[in-house]
Amino acid sequence: MYAQMIKSEATGDDPEKLAAFQARIDAGEKIEPKDWMPEGYRKTLIRQIGQHAHSEIVGQLPEGNWITRAPSLERKAILLAKVQDEAGHGLYLYGAAETLGVSRDELTEMLLDGRMKYSSIFNYPTLTWADMGAVGWLVDGAAIMNQVPLQRTSYGPYARAMVRICKEESFHQRQGFHIMMQMAKGTEAQRRMAQDALDRFWYPSLMMFGPSDKDSVHSAQSMKWRIKMNTNDELRQKFVDQTVPQAEYLGLTVPDPDLAWNEEKGGYDFTEPDWSEFHDVLRGNGPCNRERLEARNRAWDDGAWVREGMMAHAAKRRAAKVAAE
């Protein structure tokens, strides 16, 4: 209790308010924008929701790269709809973050100047059409594993945004699996392409759950506040246990020679990702880090005239309304 009081004094939070807030969290109540919340809770949510929103927006880039090269009109239409979904997810999440007192422009500026990150997975290239299958099956599959529990997160606007996002992500995962199934059952060249995509995206997908629990800086407090519902390692294990049988069904091989079923724990033993690679990518040294941020900066600059026009139009309407009154 004494340590908690010292911490509350350092953050400026009232110990009694902190205790009452935690009691609400423990009771499973939702925290709404006008409710009192600790500053640390607000900042943690801004960081998590902001990075989540950025991931949805940046995640359009590796897929948008294949819209004009999809192998059929049907595949083009499906992929275009998926990319549009991702844009919508980003907007829902930016809206949720804005309820915490941060503007969309501020969040975008933090992305563009590197103060705020996005999922490391989007710094890997999509080299073949099979990668669209791997992204849907593995990347969206990992996203769903992360996001379904967030429908029960303690912050109301975030939880509600996740309901629709998870419904749409489930379609994305099925679409990706269908691509992989078609290719795995196609020609030998197509099967090799599917296996190559799995080989390249397997470990980056495992990294999507974040560092091992013992090295995770934010997990303990986020779990206490029910911002996160599961630990990184729990979700990673669940993803492996779900995905390995799917790979076997496809006739593909997970690129882990040490992968083995562990009867005692009721799950697979598997090789951890190369965490030095994970941190190197986060530092901006991944295969596509520079390309992704250059694309977002270019889009921001190219859209300046649209933002300026909308602001001028809004100001004109406000002036007209005042004059009419």
Side-chain angles (χ1 to χ4, degrees):
M1 174 60 100
Y2 179 66
Q4 183 185 30
M5 289 180 67
I6 293 176
K7 184 176 180 181
S8 66
E9 289 172 5
T11 60
D13 291 325
D14 185 321
E16 292 185 4
K17 287 185 176 180
L18 279 173
F21 179 82
Q22 189 61 52
R24 291 189 63 193
I25 297 290
D26 295 341
E29 293 183 30
K30 286 285 185 284
I31 306 301
E32 298 298 339
K34 293 184 178 180
D35 295 342
W36 183 88
M37 64 186 72
E39 184 61 15
Y41 179 84
R42 188 184 75 86
K43 288 181 177 179
T44 298
L45 280 168
I46 289 173
R47 176 184 58 81
Q48 181 168 323
I49 299 173
Q51 291 180 358
H52 191 168
H54 296 330
S55 298
E56 299 284 356
I57 298 301
V58 176
Q60 297 175 95
L61 297 175
E63 294 179 312
N65 181 46
W66 277 92
I67 290 174
T68 59
R69 296 184 288 162
S72 70
L73 180 60
E74 180 183 21
R75 289 296 186 189
K76 290 179 194 292
I78 293 170
L79 185 56
L80 180 59
K82 180 183 179 185
V83 171
Q84 289 175 322
D85 281 350
E86 306 296 5
H89 298 172
L91 293 178
Y92 303 151
L93 292 164
Y94 284 134
E98 285 179 315
T99 66
L100 293 158
V102 61
S103 73
R104 198 167 306 187
D105 284 358
E106 288 175 302
L107 290 170
T108 301
E109 288 169 5
M110 285 190 278
L111 167 66
L112 298 181
D113 65 20
R115 283 177 290 152
M116 190 171 274
K117 305 296 183 182
Y118 54 88
S119 179
S120 61
I121 191 72
F122 300 121
N123 289 311
Y124 291 86
T126 48
L127 305 176
T128 71
W129 174 250
D131 289 5
M132 293 298 94
V135 167
W137 172 37
L138 299 176
V139 176
D140 292 326
I144 291 169
M145 199 68 69
N146 264 318
Q147 293 171 8
V148 166
L150 292 176
Q151 294 174 102
R152 297 180 285 112
T153 193
S154 61
Y155 189 57
Y158 193 20
R160 290 188 288 273
M162 293 314 305
V163 173
R164 179 167 180 174
I165 289 174
C166 286
K167 288 179 180 178
E168 293 177 349
E169 290 288 3
S170 68
F171 281 101
H172 300 171
Q173 195 270 347
R174 294 175 200 175
Q175 175 249 355
F177 187 78
H178 187 257
I179 292 175
M180 295 297 278
M181 185 165 59
Q182 294 293 100
M183 299 198 74
K185 294 182 179 180
T187 66
E188 180 58 28
Q190 289 173 324
R191 195 202 68 79
R192 287 197 303 268
M193 196 181 293
Q195 181 63 57
D196 174 66
L198 171 57
D199 291 346
R200 286 183 287 107
F201 276 91
W202 176 252
Y203 284 107
S205 295
L206 296 187
M207 295 177 192
M208 287 180 65
F209 298 97
S212 180
D213 291 343
K214 61 180 173 36
D215 299 318
S216 181
V217 177
H218 304 288
S219 282
Q221 184 61 68
S222 291
M223 293 282 289
K224 182 177 180 181
W225 280 331
R226 294 176 68 83
I227 293 173
K228 285 180 63 173
M229 310 302 292
N230 302 90
T231 71
N232 298 347
D233 288 340
E234 287 173 350
L235 292 172
R236 192 169 11 254
Q237 180 70 59
K238 187 176 180 181
F239 174 76
V240 172
D241 293 344
Q242 174 180 290
T243 308
V244 170
Q246 295 173 353
E248 292 174 348
Y249 176 81
L250 293 172
L252 302 177
T253 303
V254 172
D256 182 354
D258 297 323
L259 183 73
W261 178 257
N262 184 324
E263 190 67 41
E264 185 176 342
K265 75 175 184 180
Y268 286 92
D269 292 329
F270 59 94
T271 303
E272 288 281 315
D274 180 353
W275 292 116
S276 63
E277 176 184 329
F278 172 76
H279 291 295
D280 201 35
V281 172
L282 286 185
R283 284 192 292 266
N285 300 318
C288 297
N289 286 69
R290 183 175 298 177
E291 178 184 339
R292 301 296 185 234
L293 279 181
E294 283 177 353
R296 291 313 309 154
N297 273 279
R298 186 165 57 252
W300 180 254
D301 293 340
D302 290 348
W305 69 274
V306 178
R307 295 191 300 276
E308 291 167 3
M310 292 180 69
M311 294 295 290
H313 178 66
K316 186 177 181 180
R317 290 188 64 180
R318 284 196 300 270
K321 185 178 180 180
V322 171
E325 292 174 349

